Amino acid sequence: MAKKQSLTMRSLHYYWLATRRHLGLFVALVASTIGFCGFLTYGNPYVMSLIVDRISAAPVAADEVFTVFGPYIAALIAINFAGQACSKLQDYTLWKLQIAVNYDLATTAFDCLCNQSLSFHSNRFGGTLVSQTSKFMAGYTQLLQTMNFPFLPILCSITFTCIILLPVVPVYAGVLMAMLAVYAMVSYLMYKRILHLNEKAASAQNQLSGELSDAVTNILAVKTYGREDYERGLFDTANREVVARDSKRMRASLARGVTTAAITVIIMSVVTVFISGGNAWFGITPGTVILMFTYTNTVTNQFNFINTGLQRINQAFGDASGMTAVLDEPRLVADKPGARPLSVELGDIDFKGINFWYTDGDVKTQVFNDFNLSIPAGQRVGLVGMSGAGKTTLTKLLLRLADIQEGEILVDGQNVADVTQTSLRRQIAYVPQEALLFHRSIAENIAYGRPDATMDEIREAARAANALEFIEALPQGFDTITGERGIKLSGGQRQRIAIARAMLADCPILVLDEATSALDSESEAAVQEALSNLMEGRTCIVVAHRLSTVASLDRIVVLSHGRIAEDGPHAELVAKGGDYARLWNRQTGAYGEE
């Protein structure tokens, strides 16, 4: 329970950080709500009680109505004008505050997700993170509206009732406040008992969103393998869990509602006795009797909304809990305080004494142990080896998509851990094995690394990547929307757009991770020529399984189990007859001659 409460307090912390940026709006909202409640709910009955007492005191002649009741009429008009003004101000500040704070909360969540490490995202459903962000924002809106009604009006009701009735009927006011305190205490205790149910319900909803996202994202695999029924089974299981947890929350809330309703009946019974005998026992005037009933009825009616309000608060904190936990997670890869921008003039790369391992739960998987590799500026280096040898991991460490545990990675003598991640990655053009495209136009995707590029420059990059012909054949050309993750294009087309993006970025360091793996032989030959031109004068790291893509490079490094097994030019390694030669022979068919 302590952990649950801590998560609730952390959610409040993030909500308050965003709210205090707009403190003026928040104060205006509270003040207008108090004014609205005070003027219309308590001011009007109070003046009416004075009118009733005046009528009860002595008859008023027809020609004296405005003389006698003029001040009361003026007071009622002023009270209603002020109350309506507060009501409109309340509407404005509530909407304005919700809009402003939700903008800040969305920005906070987006920044957090974008700045988290790659391992963070690899262990989570993308759809779940999107759902948690939406619920985090919705939670604030619900919390603010619940504060605005019913809880702030309830506090106002208690305060105004005490101020007005306590001097007139102190015994009644005391008894009423005592019963209301019992009501509030019972509601709160029952609220604490079901707090965890809302977080479990929110967790089930997030899991449901994740299952839906996973199936939709991989819909091609679902359909081509005929697994619609299987995915529906997974979704149905998650959906039934949502129903079960929501039902449990509903039953607990209804039980709380029945209990508090019984207390309300007791309160109104006591009120009826006091009102009936008020004049006989305490000499209470008719106007005061009206005040007692009106104010008590108002308070108890508003207290009826405590259950609904607490349920909404429960749901709000439950919805916020997922993103709150994400916001509280430490960044596995973070800039050091005072990190400076990376400045690259040559492009030397040095891996010195690298120790790196993955941790999955309690299992530690060592990838590199005292690994050393030096790449002089302008050298084109191929990384080859069996799957799991550490080729792609090495490029991710260079890009600081994960942090090493020991050692250092230097670019032009600057430790990448001491520079800003943004400046590091803007100096490295990276083309991954699976092309990463946005649901935007082809032109926007190509210019992603250099958004200020002209259309002529975008076109030239596409031509150099052997992509211009198929792009211009599309009905909308460069304005064609690629679809989510580039789904509207073939694998080879997506890869060529990614290569065009790297060409346009024109970075001093180039990293190609199986960049030509999705190309047919004819396209590969054309792109290889373009890549050769792109590599000229740049430090290049090329990860490849197809050795034909690295045979012409200056140097080839063969990795095996996170260590360098061989290192040298293609011809030298083939002549040596080691691991590289065996791989080369298998791929070229030369092994049959051995």
Side-chain angles (χ1 to χ4, degrees):
M1 179 62 74
K3 185 178 180 181
K4 307 288 185 186
Q5 291 173 340
S6 175
L7 205 56
T8 298
M9 294 306 296
R10 293 299 297 163
S11 297
L12 273 176
H13 168 74
Y14 288 116
Y15 285 160
W16 173 244
L17 287 181
T19 301
R20 73 178 183 185
R21 298 191 191 109
H22 311 280
L23 196 57
L25 282 173
F26 181 75
V27 171
L29 173 62
V30 172
S32 61
T33 302
I34 293 173
F36 169 69
C37 180
F39 285 122
L40 297 185
T41 307
Y42 285 85
N44 277 333
Y46 181 75
V47 175
M48 288 303 300
S49 73
L50 297 178
I51 292 174
V52 170
D53 281 343
R54 179 61 185 84
I55 293 172
S56 301
V60 178
D63 59 348
E64 295 179 338
V65 169
F66 288 102
T67 302
V68 174
F69 294 109
Y72 301 122
I73 294 172
L76 282 173
I77 293 173
I79 285 171
N80 281 276
F81 178 82
Q84 292 301 330
C86 287
S87 172
K88 300 311 135 194
L89 179 61
Q90 179 193 47
D91 292 341
Y92 170 77
T93 52
L94 179 63
W95 277 104
K96 189 73 174 176
L97 188 60
Q98 285 177 195
I99 292 170
V101 172
N102 273 326
Y103 172 85
D104 290 340
L105 292 175
T107 301
T108 298
F110 181 84
D111 288 344
C112 172
L113 295 177
C114 281
N115 288 294
Q116 271 292 3
S117 67
L118 205 59
S119 60
F120 168 89
H121 287 283
S122 64
N123 290 319
R124 287 167 174 80
F125 282 125
T128 297
L129 293 175
V130 171
S131 172
Q132 287 173 338
T133 300
S134 298
K135 288 183 176 182
F136 186 61
M137 297 163 60
Y140 177 81
T141 298
Q142 184 145 273
L143 196 63
L144 187 65
Q145 291 176 346
T146 304
M147 180 208 76
N148 201 54
F149 181 83
F151 288 109
L152 198 52
I154 287 173
L155 291 175
C156 291
S157 297
I158 294 172
T159 302
F160 289 128
T161 299
C162 284
I163 290 173
I164 296 171
L165 292 184
L166 197 58
V168 183
V169 276
V171 175
Y172 173 76
V175 171
L176 178 62
M177 290 304 111
M179 289 189 294
L180 291 176
V182 171
Y183 186 109
M185 181 59 66
V186 170
S187 294
Y188 175 71
L189 291 175
M190 298 189 76
Y191 159 77
K192 285 182 64 178
R193 289 179 59 187
I194 67 170
L195 180 61
H196 67 287
L197 297 179
N198 291 278
E199 292 182 9
K200 288 183 177 179
S203 176
Q205 286 283 357
N206 289 334
Q207 183 65 28
L208 181 67
S209 299
E211 293 290 354
L212 178 61
S213 174
D214 205 28
V216 170
T217 301
N218 297 286
I219 192 65
L220 182 59
V222 174
K223 287 188 170 296
T224 54
Y225 283 90
R227 298 286 279 173
E228 290 90 346
D229 289 342
Y230 174 76
E231 293 299 328
R232 190 184 187 282
L234 292 178
F235 182 82
D236 189 63
T237 299
N239 207 5
R240 288 180 183 277
E241 183 67 12
V242 170
V243 171
R245 293 190 177 186
D246 278 346
S247 298
K248 192 171 183 179
R249 177 172 61 177
M250 175 196 69
R251 289 191 293 271
S253 297
L254 287 175
R256 183 181 61 194
V258 170
T259 303
T260 52
I263 298 175
T264 301
V265 171
I266 294 172
I267 291 174
M268 290 309 297
S269 300
V270 173
V271 169
T272 303
V273 172
F274 262 94
I275 288 175
S276 300
N279 181 263
W281 298 333
F282 305 107
I284 297 173
T285 65
T288 302
V289 169
I290 290 175
L291 274 187
M292 290 169 60
F293 178 79
T294 302
Y295 287 178
T296 304
N297 189 57
T298 298
V299 171
T300 52
N301 281 339
Q302 288 181 342
F303 262 68
N304 282 331
F305 291 109
I306 283 183
N307 290 321
T308 303
L310 289 175
Q311 182 178 344
R312 288 164 61 190
I313 287 178
N314 264 335
Q315 185 175 348
F317 283 129
D319 287 348
S321 61
M323 182 50 61
T324 297
V326 170
L327 292 173
D328 278 346
E329 281 211 21
R331 292 184 185 177
L332 300 179
V333 180
D335 287 342
K336 288 183 178 179
R340 63 186 186 280
L342 175 67
S343 175
V344 179
E345 295 182 4
L346 300 174
D348 290 314
I349 301 173
D350 290 291
F351 297 88
K352 293 187 175 181
I354 302 300
N355 281 305
F356 176 74
W357 57 82
Y358 291 112
T359 302
D360 187 1
D362 296 327
V363 179
K364 186 172 79 171
T365 304
Q366 187 84 33
V367 181
F368 295 111
N369 184 16
D370 195 26
F371 179 87
N372 294 277
L373 175 64
S374 181
I375 303 175
Q379 190 174 73
R380 302 172 304 162
V381 176
L383 295 180
V384 302
M386 300 298 289
S387 295
K391 303 182 298 296
T392 296
T393 300
L394 197 64
T395 64
K396 290 180 177 178
L397 294 179
L398 173 62
L399 286 157
R400 262 200 91 194
L401 298 177
D403 267 340
I404 57 177
Q405 282 81 17
E406 295 175 2
E408 56 183 2
I409 302 173
L410 307 176
V411 175
D412 273 2
Q414 303 161 81
N415 193 329
V416 298
D418 296 332
V419 300
T420 62
Q421 296 175 65
T422 300
S423 67
L424 168 67
R425 292 163 191 162
R426 285 180 179 172
Q427 299 294 333
I428 303 173
Y430 176 66
V431 182
Q433 182 174 3
E434 181 183 355
L436 306 175
L437 300 186
F438 293 90
H439 183 60
R440 301 169 192 172
S441 71
I442 289 177
E444 287 178 285
N445 272 287
I446 293 176
Y448 190 73
R450 195 177 142 204
D452 59 343
T454 65
M455 197 61 224
D456 287 340
E457 291 171 325
I458 294 172
R459 184 180 299 274
E460 176 58 26
R463 185 200 60 76
N466 197 32
L468 185 60
E469 183 178 351
F470 87 78
I471 293 174
E472 290 185 332
L474 295 171
Q476 294 176 294
F478 281 91
D479 292 327
T480 301
I481 301 300
T482 63
E484 186 178 9
R485 305 180 77 177
I487 191 65
K488 293 182 180 180
L489 304 177
S490 70
Q493 289 172 335
R494 290 197 297 269
Q495 202 74 341
R496 278 177 275 174
I497 288 176
I499 291 170
R501 177 192 293 168
M503 289 178 167
L504 188 60
D506 195 24
C507 299
I509 299 173
L510 179 65
V511 175
L512 305 173
D513 188 355
E514 294 287 346
T516 61
S517 62
L519 303 180
D520 55 70
S521 298
E522 183 178 349
S523 296
E524 181 183 359
V527 172
Q528 283 287 8
E529 182 180 352
L531 290 177
S532 296
N533 295 331
L534 176 63
M535 291 183 204
E536 192 67 34
R538 292 179 172 82
T539 307
C540 303
I541 298 177
V542 182
V543 176
H545 282 101
R546 271 194 266 177
L547 301 187
S548 59
T549 62
V550 297
S552 61
L553 300 183
D554 303 322
R555 175 184 171 197
I556 298 170
V557 175
V558 182
L559 296 181
S560 177
H561 304 293
R563 61 180 181 84
I564 297 176
E566 293 179 310
D567 185 352
H570 167 75
E572 179 182 311
L573 294 182
V574 171
K576 188 177 178 181
D579 291 344
Y580 180 81
R582 282 190 290 273
L583 289 172
W584 177 260
N585 290 337
R586 286 195 187 99
Q587 292 190 13
T588 61
Y591 65 89
E593 301 172 2
E594 294 179 355

